[in-house]
Coordinates of all heavy atoms in Angstrom, one line a residue:
M1 N 17.3 -39.2 -74.0 CA 16.2 -40.1 -73.7 C 16.7 -41.5 -73.7 O 17.5 -41.9 -74.6 CB 15.1 -39.9 -74.7 CG 13.9 -40.8 -74.3 SD 12.6 -40.7 -75.6 CE 11.7 -39.3 -75.1
K2 N 16.2 -42.3 -72.8 CA 16.6 -43.7 -72.7 C 15.8 -44.6 -73.6 O 14.6 -44.3 -73.8 CB 16.6 -44.2 -71.3 CG 17.7 -43.7 -70.4 CD 17.7 -44.2 -69.0 CE 18.9 -43.6 -68.3 NZ 18.7 -43.8 -66.8
A3 N 16.4 -45.6 -74.1 CA 15.8 -46.6 -75.0 C 15.8 -48.0 -74.3 O 16.8 -48.3 -73.7 CB 16.5 -46.7 -76.3
Y4 N 14.7 -48.7 -74.4 CA 14.5 -50.0 -73.8 C 14.2 -51.1 -74.7 O 13.4 -50.9 -75.6 CB 13.4 -49.9 -72.7 CG 13.8 -49.0 -71.5 CD1 13.4 -47.7 -71.5 CD2 14.6 -49.5 -70.5 CE1 13.7 -46.8 -70.5 CE2 15.0 -48.6 -69.5 CZ 14.5 -47.3 -69.5 OH 14.9 -46.5 -68.4
T5 N 14.9 -52.2 -74.6 CA 14.8 -53.3 -75.4 C 14.5 -54.5 -74.5 O 15.2 -54.7 -73.5 CB 16.0 -53.6 -76.2 OG1 16.2 -52.5 -77.1 CG2 16.0 -54.8 -77.1
L6 N 13.5 -55.3 -74.9 CA 13.1 -56.5 -74.1 C 13.5 -57.7 -74.8 O 13.1 -58.0 -75.9 CB 11.6 -56.5 -73.8 CG 11.1 -57.5 -72.7 CD1 11.6 -57.1 -71.3 CD2 9.6 -57.6 -72.7
K7 N 14.4 -58.6 -74.2 CA 14.9 -59.8 -74.8 C 14.4 -61.0 -74.0 O 14.3 -60.9 -72.8 CB 16.4 -59.7 -74.8 CG 17.0 -58.7 -75.8 CD 18.5 -58.7 -75.7 CE 19.1 -57.6 -76.6 NZ 18.8 -57.8 -78.0
R8 N 14.3 -62.1 -74.7 CA 13.9 -63.3 -74.1 C 15.1 -64.2 -73.8 O 15.9 -64.5 -74.8 CB 12.9 -64.1 -74.9 CG 12.3 -65.3 -74.2 CD 11.1 -65.8 -74.9 NE 10.2 -66.5 -74.0 CZ 9.0 -67.0 -74.3 NH1 8.5 -66.8 -75.5 NH2 8.3 -67.6 -73.4
R9 N 15.2 -64.7 -72.6 CA 16.4 -65.5 -72.3 C 16.1 -67.0 -72.7 O 15.1 -67.5 -72.4 CB 16.7 -65.4 -70.8 CG 18.0 -66.1 -70.5 CD 18.4 -65.8 -69.0 NE 19.3 -66.9 -68.6 CZ 20.1 -66.8 -67.5 NH1 20.1 -65.7 -66.8 NH2 20.8 -67.9 -67.2
K10 N 17.1 -67.5 -73.3 CA 17.1 -68.9 -73.9 C 16.6 -70.0 -72.9 O 15.7 -70.7 -73.1 CB 18.5 -69.2 -74.5 CG 18.5 -70.2 -75.6 CD 19.9 -70.5 -76.1 CE 20.7 -69.2 -76.4 NZ 22.1 -69.5 -76.7
D11 N 17.3 -70.0 -71.8 CA 17.1 -71.2 -70.9 C 15.9 -71.0 -70.0 O 15.1 -71.9 -69.8 CB 18.4 -71.5 -70.0 CG 18.9 -70.2 -69.3 OD1 18.3 -69.1 -69.5 OD2 19.9 -70.4 -68.6
T12 N 15.7 -69.8 -69.4 CA 14.5 -69.6 -68.5 C 13.3 -69.2 -69.2 O 12.2 -69.2 -68.6 CB 14.9 -68.6 -67.4 OG1 15.1 -67.3 -68.0 CG2 16.1 -69.0 -66.6
E13 N 13.4 -68.7 -70.4 CA 12.3 -68.1 -71.2 C 11.6 -66.9 -70.5 O 10.5 -66.6 -70.8 CB 11.2 -69.2 -71.5 CG 11.8 -70.4 -72.3 CD 10.7 -71.3 -72.8 OE1 9.6 -71.3 -72.3 OE2 11.0 -72.0 -73.8
E14 N 12.4 -66.3 -69.7 CA 11.9 -65.1 -69.0 C 12.4 -63.8 -69.8 O 13.5 -63.9 -70.4 CB 12.6 -65.0 -67.6 CG 11.9 -64.1 -66.6 CD 12.5 -64.2 -65.2 OE1 13.7 -64.2 -65.1 OE2 11.7 -64.2 -64.3
Y15 N 11.7 -62.8 -69.8 CA 12.0 -61.6 -70.5 C 12.8 -60.6 -69.6 O 12.5 -60.4 -68.4 CB 10.8 -60.8 -71.0 CG 10.0 -61.6 -72.0 CD1 8.9 -62.2 -71.7 CD2 10.5 -61.6 -73.3 CE1 8.1 -62.9 -72.7 CE2 9.8 -62.3 -74.3 CZ 8.6 -62.9 -74.0 OH 7.9 -63.6 -74.9
H16 N 13.9 -60.1 -70.1 CA 14.7 -59.1 -69.4 C 14.9 -57.8 -70.2 O 14.9 -57.9 -71.4 CB 16.1 -59.7 -69.0 CG 16.0 -60.8 -68.0 ND1 16.0 -60.6 -66.7 CD2 16.0 -62.1 -68.2 CE1 15.9 -61.7 -66.0 NE2 15.9 -62.7 -66.9
L17 N 15.0 -56.7 -69.5 CA 15.1 -55.4 -70.1 C 16.5 -54.9 -70.2 O 17.3 -55.0 -69.2 CB 14.2 -54.5 -69.2 CG 13.7 -53.2 -69.8 CD1 12.8 -53.5 -71.0 CD2 12.9 -52.5 -68.7
F18 N 16.8 -54.4 -71.3 CA 18.2 -53.8 -71.6 C 18.0 -52.3 -71.8 O 17.2 -51.9 -72.6 CB 18.8 -54.5 -72.8 CG 19.2 -55.9 -72.5 CD1 18.2 -56.9 -72.4 CD2 20.5 -56.3 -72.4 CE1 18.6 -58.2 -72.2 CE2 20.9 -57.6 -72.1 CZ 19.9 -58.6 -72.0
E19 N 18.9 -51.5 -71.2 CA 18.8 -50.1 -71.3 C 19.8 -49.6 -72.3 O 20.9 -50.1 -72.4 CB 19.1 -49.5 -69.9 CG 18.6 -48.1 -69.8 CD 18.8 -47.6 -68.3 OE1 20.0 -47.3 -68.0 OE2 17.9 -47.6 -67.6
G20 N 19.4 -48.6 -73.0 CA 20.3 -47.9 -74.0 C 19.9 -46.5 -74.2 O 19.1 -45.9 -73.4
D21 N 20.3 -45.9 -75.4 CA 19.8 -44.6 -75.7 C 19.7 -44.5 -77.2 O 20.0 -45.5 -78.0 CB 20.8 -43.5 -75.2 CG 22.2 -43.7 -75.7 OD1 22.3 -43.8 -76.9 OD2 23.1 -43.7 -74.9
F22 N 19.2 -43.4 -77.7 CA 19.0 -43.2 -79.1 C 20.1 -42.5 -79.9 O 19.9 -41.8 -80.9 CB 17.6 -42.4 -79.3 CG 16.4 -43.2 -78.8 CD1 15.8 -42.9 -77.6 CD2 15.9 -44.2 -79.6 CE1 14.7 -43.6 -77.2 CE2 14.8 -44.9 -79.2 CZ 14.2 -44.6 -78.0
S23 N 21.3 -42.6 -79.3 CA 22.4 -41.9 -80.0 C 22.8 -42.6 -81.3 O 23.4 -42.0 -82.2 CB 23.6 -41.9 -79.1 OG 24.0 -43.3 -78.8
Q24 N 22.4 -43.8 -81.5 CA 22.6 -44.5 -82.8 C 21.3 -45.1 -83.3 O 20.4 -45.4 -82.5 CB 23.6 -45.7 -82.6 CG 25.0 -45.3 -82.4 CD 25.9 -46.5 -82.1 OE1 25.6 -47.6 -82.6 NE2 26.8 -46.3 -81.2
E25 N 21.2 -45.2 -84.6 CA 19.9 -45.8 -85.2 C 20.0 -47.3 -85.1 O 21.0 -47.9 -85.5 CB 19.8 -45.4 -86.7 CG 19.4 -44.0 -86.8 CD 17.9 -43.8 -86.4 OE1 17.1 -44.7 -86.6 OE2 17.6 -42.7 -86.0
P26 N 18.9 -48.1 -84.8 CA 17.7 -47.5 -84.2 C 17.9 -47.1 -82.7 O 17.3 -46.2 -82.3 CB 16.7 -48.6 -84.3 CG 17.5 -49.9 -84.3 CD 18.8 -49.5 -84.9
C27 N 18.7 -47.8 -82.0 CA 19.1 -47.4 -80.6 C 20.2 -48.3 -80.2 O 20.5 -49.4 -80.8 CB 17.9 -47.5 -79.7 SG 17.5 -49.2 -79.2
T28 N 20.9 -48.0 -79.1 CA 21.9 -48.8 -78.5 C 21.3 -49.6 -77.4 O 20.2 -49.3 -76.9 CB 23.0 -48.0 -77.9 OG1 22.5 -47.2 -76.8 CG2 23.6 -47.0 -78.9
S29 N 22.0 -50.7 -76.9 CA 21.6 -51.4 -75.7 C 22.8 -52.0 -75.1 O 23.7 -52.4 -75.7 CB 20.5 -52.4 -76.0 OG 21.0 -53.4 -76.8
Q30 N 22.8 -52.0 -73.7 CA 23.9 -52.5 -73.0 C 24.0 -54.0 -73.1 O 23.0 -54.7 -73.4 CB 23.8 -52.1 -71.5 CG 23.9 -50.6 -71.4 CD 23.7 -50.1 -70.0 OE1 23.3 -50.9 -69.1 NE2 23.9 -48.8 -69.7
N31 N 25.2 -54.5 -72.9 CA 25.4 -56.0 -73.0 C 24.7 -56.7 -71.9 O 24.4 -57.9 -72.0 CB 26.9 -56.2 -73.0 CG 27.2 -57.7 -73.4 OD1 26.6 -58.2 -74.3 ND2 28.0 -58.3 -72.6
L32 N 24.5 -56.1 -70.7 CA 24.0 -56.7 -69.5 C 22.6 -56.1 -69.3 O 22.4 -54.9 -69.4 CB 24.9 -56.4 -68.4 CG 24.8 -57.2 -67.1 CD1 25.0 -58.6 -67.3 CD2 25.7 -56.6 -66.0
S33 N 21.7 -57.0 -68.9 CA 20.3 -56.5 -68.6 C 20.3 -55.7 -67.3 O 21.3 -55.7 -66.5 CB 19.4 -57.7 -68.4 OG 19.7 -58.4 -67.2
I34 N 19.2 -55.0 -67.1 CA 19.2 -54.0 -65.9 C 19.4 -54.8 -64.6 O 20.0 -54.3 -63.7 CB 17.8 -53.3 -66.0 CG1 17.8 -52.3 -67.1 CG2 17.5 -52.6 -64.6 CD1 16.5 -51.7 -67.4
C35 N 18.8 -56.0 -64.5 CA 18.9 -56.8 -63.3 C 20.2 -57.5 -63.2 O 20.6 -58.1 -62.2 CB 17.8 -57.8 -63.2 SG 17.9 -59.0 -64.5
E36 N 21.0 -57.5 -64.3 CA 22.4 -58.1 -64.4 C 22.3 -59.6 -64.3 O 23.3 -60.3 -64.0 CB 23.3 -57.6 -63.3 CG 23.5 -56.1 -63.3 CD 24.5 -55.5 -62.3 OE1 24.8 -56.3 -61.3 OE2 24.9 -54.4 -62.5
K37 N 21.1 -60.2 -64.7 CA 21.0 -61.6 -64.7 C 21.1 -62.2 -66.1 O 20.9 -63.4 -66.3 CB 19.7 -62.0 -64.1 CG 19.6 -61.9 -62.6 CD 18.3 -62.3 -62.0 CE 18.2 -62.1 -60.5 NZ 16.8 -62.1 -60.1
M38 N 21.2 -61.4 -67.1 CA 21.2 -61.9 -68.5 C 22.1 -61.0 -69.3 O 22.2 -59.8 -69.2 CB 19.8 -61.8 -69.0 CG 19.7 -62.2 -70.5 SD 18.0 -62.0 -71.1 CE 18.3 -62.2 -72.9
I39 N 22.8 -61.7 -70.2 CA 23.6 -61.0 -71.2 C 23.0 -61.2 -72.6 O 22.3 -62.1 -72.8 CB 25.1 -61.4 -71.2 CG1 25.3 -62.9 -71.4 CG2 25.8 -60.9 -69.9 CD1 26.7 -63.3 -71.6
K40 N 23.4 -60.3 -73.5 CA 22.8 -60.3 -74.9 C 22.9 -61.6 -75.6 O 22.0 -62.0 -76.3 CB 23.5 -59.2 -75.8 CG 22.9 -57.9 -75.7 CD 23.6 -57.0 -76.7 CE 23.0 -55.6 -76.6 NZ 23.9 -54.7 -77.5
S41 N 24.0 -62.3 -75.4 CA 24.2 -63.6 -76.2 C 23.3 -64.7 -75.7 O 23.2 -65.7 -76.3 CB 25.7 -64.0 -76.0 OG 26.0 -64.2 -74.7
E42 N 22.6 -64.5 -74.5 CA 21.7 -65.5 -74.0 C 20.3 -65.3 -74.6 O 19.3 -66.0 -74.3 CB 21.6 -65.4 -72.5 CG 22.8 -65.9 -71.8 CD 22.8 -65.6 -70.3 OE1 22.3 -64.6 -69.9 OE2 23.3 -66.5 -69.6
S43 N 20.1 -64.3 -75.5 CA 18.8 -64.0 -76.0 C 18.4 -64.9 -77.2 O 19.2 -65.2 -78.0 CB 18.8 -62.5 -76.5 OG 17.6 -62.2 -77.2
V44 N 17.1 -65.2 -77.2 CA 16.6 -65.9 -78.4 C 15.8 -64.9 -79.3 O 15.2 -65.3 -80.3 CB 15.7 -67.1 -78.0 CG1 16.5 -68.2 -77.5 CG2 14.6 -66.7 -77.0
G45 N 15.7 -63.7 -78.9 CA 15.0 -62.7 -79.7 C 14.5 -61.6 -78.9 O 14.4 -61.6 -77.7
N46 N 14.1 -60.5 -79.6 CA 13.6 -59.3 -79.0 C 12.1 -59.4 -79.0 O 11.5 -59.7 -80.0 CB 14.0 -58.0 -79.7 CG 15.5 -57.8 -79.6 OD1 16.2 -58.3 -78.8 ND2 16.0 -57.0 -80.5
K47 N 11.5 -59.1 -77.8 CA 10.0 -58.9 -77.8 C 9.7 -57.5 -78.3 O 8.7 -57.3 -79.0 CB 9.5 -59.1 -76.3 CG 8.1 -59.0 -76.2 CD 7.4 -60.2 -76.7 CE 5.9 -60.1 -76.5 NZ 5.2 -61.2 -77.1
F48 N 10.5 -56.5 -77.9 CA 10.4 -55.2 -78.5 C 11.7 -54.6 -78.4 O 12.6 -55.0 -77.6 CB 9.3 -54.3 -77.8 CG 9.5 -54.0 -76.4 CD1 10.5 -53.2 -75.9 CD2 8.6 -54.6 -75.4 CE1 10.7 -52.9 -74.5 CE2 8.7 -54.3 -74.1 CZ 9.8 -53.5 -73.6
Q49 N 12.0 -53.5 -79.1 CA 13.2 -52.8 -79.0 C 13.1 -51.3 -79.3 O 12.1 -50.9 -79.9 CB 14.3 -53.4 -80.0 CG 13.9 -53.3 -81.5 CD 14.9 -53.9 -82.4 OE1 16.1 -54.1 -82.0 NE2 14.6 -54.2 -83.6
C50 N 14.0 -50.6 -78.6 CA 14.0 -49.1 -78.8 C 12.7 -48.4 -78.5 O 12.3 -47.5 -79.2 CB 14.5 -48.8 -80.3 SG 16.0 -49.6 -80.7
L51 N 12.1 -48.7 -77.4 CA 11.0 -48.0 -76.9 C 11.4 -47.1 -75.8 O 12.4 -47.3 -75.1 CB 9.9 -49.0 -76.3 CG 9.3 -50.0 -77.3 CD1 8.2 -50.8 -76.6 CD2 8.7 -49.3 -78.5
N52 N 10.6 -46.0 -75.6 CA 10.9 -45.1 -74.5 C 10.3 -45.7 -73.2 O 9.6 -46.7 -73.3 CB 10.5 -43.6 -74.8 CG 9.0 -43.5 -75.0 OD1 8.2 -44.2 -74.3 ND2 8.5 -42.6 -75.9
E53 N 10.5 -45.0 -72.1 CA 10.0 -45.6 -70.8 C 8.5 -45.8 -70.8 O 8.0 -46.9 -70.4 CB 10.3 -44.6 -69.7 CG 11.7 -44.5 -69.3 CD 12.3 -43.3 -70.0 OE1 11.7 -42.8 -71.0 OE2 13.4 -42.9 -69.6
K54 N 7.7 -44.8 -71.3 CA 6.3 -44.9 -71.3 C 5.8 -46.1 -72.2 O 5.0 -46.9 -71.8 CB 5.7 -43.6 -71.8 CG 4.2 -43.5 -71.6 CD 3.7 -42.2 -72.2 CE 2.2 -42.1 -72.2 NZ 1.7 -40.9 -72.9
E55 N 6.4 -46.2 -73.4 CA 6.0 -47.3 -74.3 C 6.4 -48.7 -73.7 O 5.6 -49.6 -73.8 CB 6.7 -47.1 -75.6 CG 6.2 -45.9 -76.4 CD 7.1 -45.6 -77.6 OE1 8.3 -45.9 -77.6 OE2 6.6 -44.9 -78.5
A56 N 7.6 -48.7 -73.1 CA 8.0 -50.0 -72.5 C 7.1 -50.4 -71.4 O 6.8 -51.6 -71.3 CB 9.5 -49.8 -72.0
R57 N 6.7 -49.5 -70.5 CA 5.8 -49.8 -69.4 C 4.5 -50.4 -70.0 O 4.0 -51.4 -69.5 CB 5.4 -48.6 -68.7 CG 6.3 -48.4 -67.5 CD 5.9 -47.2 -66.7 NE 7.0 -46.3 -66.4 CZ 6.9 -45.0 -66.5 NH1 5.8 -44.4 -66.7 NH2 8.0 -44.3 -66.2
L58 N 4.0 -49.8 -71.0 CA 2.7 -50.3 -71.6 C 2.9 -51.7 -72.2 O 2.0 -52.6 -72.0 CB 2.2 -49.4 -72.7 CG 1.6 -48.0 -72.3 CD1 1.4 -47.1 -73.5 CD2 0.3 -48.3 -71.5
E59 N 4.0 -51.9 -72.9 CA 4.2 -53.2 -73.5 C 4.4 -54.3 -72.4 O 3.9 -55.4 -72.6 CB 5.4 -53.2 -74.4 CG 5.1 -52.5 -75.7 CD 3.9 -53.1 -76.5 OE1 3.9 -54.3 -76.7 OE2 3.0 -52.3 -76.9
I60 N 5.1 -54.0 -71.4 CA 5.4 -55.0 -70.3 C 4.1 -55.3 -69.6 O 3.9 -56.5 -69.2 CB 6.5 -54.4 -69.4 CG1 7.9 -54.6 -70.1 CG2 6.5 -55.2 -68.1 CD1 9.0 -54.0 -69.4
A61 N 3.3 -54.3 -69.4 CA 2.0 -54.6 -68.8 C 1.1 -55.5 -69.6 O 0.4 -56.4 -69.0 CB 1.2 -53.2 -68.6
K62 N 1.3 -55.5 -70.9 CA 0.5 -56.4 -71.7 C 1.1 -57.8 -71.6 O 0.3 -58.8 -71.7 CB 0.6 -56.0 -73.2 CG -0.3 -54.8 -73.6 CD -0.2 -54.6 -75.1 CE -0.4 -53.1 -75.4 NZ 0.1 -52.8 -76.7
I63 N 2.4 -57.9 -71.6 CA 3.0 -59.3 -71.5 C 2.8 -59.9 -70.2 O 2.5 -61.1 -70.1 CB 4.6 -59.1 -71.8 CG1 4.8 -58.5 -73.2 CG2 5.2 -60.5 -71.7 CD1 6.2 -57.9 -73.4
G64 N 3.0 -59.2 -69.1 CA 2.6 -59.7 -67.8 C 3.7 -60.6 -67.2 O 4.9 -60.2 -67.2
R65 N 3.3 -61.7 -66.7 CA 4.1 -62.5 -65.8 C 5.5 -62.9 -66.2 O 6.4 -62.8 -65.3 CB 3.3 -63.8 -65.4 CG 3.7 -64.3 -64.1 CD 2.7 -65.4 -63.7 NE 2.4 -66.2 -64.9 CZ 2.3 -67.6 -64.9 NH1 2.4 -68.2 -63.8 NH2 2.0 -68.2 -66.0
P66 N 5.8 -63.3 -67.4 CA 7.2 -63.8 -67.7 C 8.2 -62.7 -67.8 O 9.4 -63.0 -68.1 CB 7.0 -64.6 -69.0 CG 5.8 -64.0 -69.6 CD 4.9 -63.5 -68.6
V67 N 7.9 -61.5 -67.5 CA 8.9 -60.4 -67.5 C 9.5 -60.3 -66.1 O 8.9 -60.4 -65.1 CB 8.3 -59.0 -67.8 CG1 9.3 -58.0 -67.9 CG2 7.5 -59.1 -69.2
C68 N 10.8 -60.2 -66.1 CA 11.6 -60.2 -64.9 C 11.2 -59.0 -64.0 O 11.0 -57.9 -64.4 CB 13.1 -60.0 -65.2 SG 14.2 -59.5 -63.9
G69 N 10.9 -59.3 -62.7 CA 10.4 -58.3 -61.7 C 11.4 -57.2 -61.5 O 11.0 -56.0 -61.3
V70 N 12.7 -57.5 -61.4 CA 13.7 -56.5 -61.1 C 13.8 -55.5 -62.3 O 13.8 -54.3 -62.1 CB 15.1 -57.2 -60.9 CG1 16.1 -56.1 -60.7 CG2 15.0 -58.1 -59.7
C71 N 13.8 -56.0 -63.5 CA 13.8 -55.2 -64.7 C 12.6 -54.3 -64.8 O 12.7 -53.1 -65.1 CB 13.9 -56.0 -65.9 SG 15.5 -56.8 -66.2
T72 N 11.4 -54.9 -64.5 CA 10.2 -54.2 -64.6 C 10.1 -53.0 -63.5 O 9.8 -51.9 -63.9 CB 9.0 -55.1 -64.3 OG1 9.0 -56.1 -65.2 CG2 7.6 -54.4 -64.4
S73 N 10.5 -53.3 -62.3 CA 10.5 -52.3 -61.3 C 11.4 -51.1 -61.6 O 11.1 -50.0 -61.1 CB 10.8 -52.9 -59.9 OG 12.1 -53.4 -59.9
H74 N 12.5 -51.4 -62.3 CA 13.4 -50.3 -62.7 C 12.6 -49.2 -63.5 O 12.9 -48.0 -63.3 CB 14.5 -50.8 -63.5 CG 15.4 -49.8 -64.0 ND1 16.5 -49.3 -63.3 CD2 15.5 -49.1 -65.2 CE1 17.1 -48.4 -64.0 NE2 16.5 -48.3 -65.2
L75 N 11.7 -49.6 -64.3 CA 10.9 -48.6 -65.1 C 10.0 -47.7 -64.2 O 9.7 -46.7 -64.6 CB 10.0 -49.4 -66.1 CG 10.6 -49.9 -67.4 CD1 9.5 -50.6 -68.1 CD2 11.2 -48.8 -68.2
Y76 N 9.7 -48.2 -63.1 CA 8.8 -47.4 -62.2 C 9.5 -46.7 -61.1 O 9.0 -45.8 -60.5 CB 7.8 -48.4 -61.5 CG 6.8 -49.0 -62.6 CD1 7.1 -50.2 -63.2 CD2 5.7 -48.3 -62.9 CE1 6.3 -50.7 -64.2 CE2 4.8 -48.8 -63.9 CZ 5.1 -50.0 -64.5 OH 4.3 -50.5 -65.4
T77 N 10.8 -47.0 -60.9 CA 11.5 -46.3 -59.8 C 12.4 -45.2 -60.3 O 12.9 -44.4 -59.5 CB 12.4 -47.4 -59.0 OG1 13.2 -48.1 -60.0 CG2 11.6 -48.3 -58.2
T78 N 12.7 -45.1 -61.6 CA 13.6 -44.1 -62.1 C 12.9 -42.7 -62.1 O 13.6 -41.7 -62.2 CB 14.1 -44.4 -63.5 OG1 13.0 -44.8 -64.3 CG2 15.1 -45.5 -63.5
Y79 N 11.6 -42.7 -62.0 CA 10.9 -41.4 -62.0 C 10.1 -41.1 -60.7 O 9.6 -42.0 -60.1 CB 10.0 -41.2 -63.2 CG 10.9 -41.1 -64.4 CD1 11.4 -42.2 -65.1 CD2 11.2 -39.8 -64.9 CE1 12.2 -42.0 -66.2 CE2 12.0 -39.6 -66.0 CZ 12.5 -40.7 -66.6 OH 13.3 -40.5 -67.7
Ligands
ZN101 ZN1 15.9 -58.9 -65.4

């Protein structure tokens, strides 16, 4: 199962999604965001971490506009 972490980028203040899995506690996440526009070191913090697809979709729907469109659409196109 895939794990999703949402991080806020320092300069643009936009949220980007990082994909990982649950092979390690609490979960892993890749260094590059799904849209490839952000790396981990540009983050000022996590909005959420280690959620599954369904949970991540719900949380992003609540946050709304400042979430990256490319990252968001990835959650809807993988299934
Ligand atoms: Zn993004």
Side-chain angles (χ1 to χ4, degrees):
M1 184 187 270
K2 283 179 178 167
Y4 293 96
T5 297
L6 193 69
K7 293 178 183 292
R8 188 165 203 174
R9 190 171 152 161
K10 210 182 304 178
D11 52 358
T12 62
E13 299 191 338
E14 200 176 40
Y15 294 103
H16 291 275
L17 202 57
F18 290 72
E19 200 174 75
D21 60 49
F22 292 103
S23 62
Q24 288 174 35
E25 286 289 330
C27 73
T28 65
S29 62
Q30 293 174 354
N31 191 46
L32 194 63
S33 67
I34 288 167
C35 65
E36 303 184 342
K37 285 180 185 164
M38 178 183 167
I39 55 173
K40 271 184 183 172
S41 61
E42 293 172 319
S43 172
V44 287
N46 295 341
K47 183 70 178 176
F48 61 69
Q49 60 181 342
C50 306
L51 298 185
N52 64 34
E53 292 93 345
K54 191 181 171 187
E55 293 167 335
R57 265 185 231 142
L58 285 171
E59 285 304 308
I60 284 174
K62 284 185 210 163
I63 299 161
R65 207 171 41 139
V67 183
C68 168
V70 178
C71 288
T72 302
S73 63
H74 176 82
L75 281 178
Y76 293 91
T77 52
T78 47
Y79 287 87

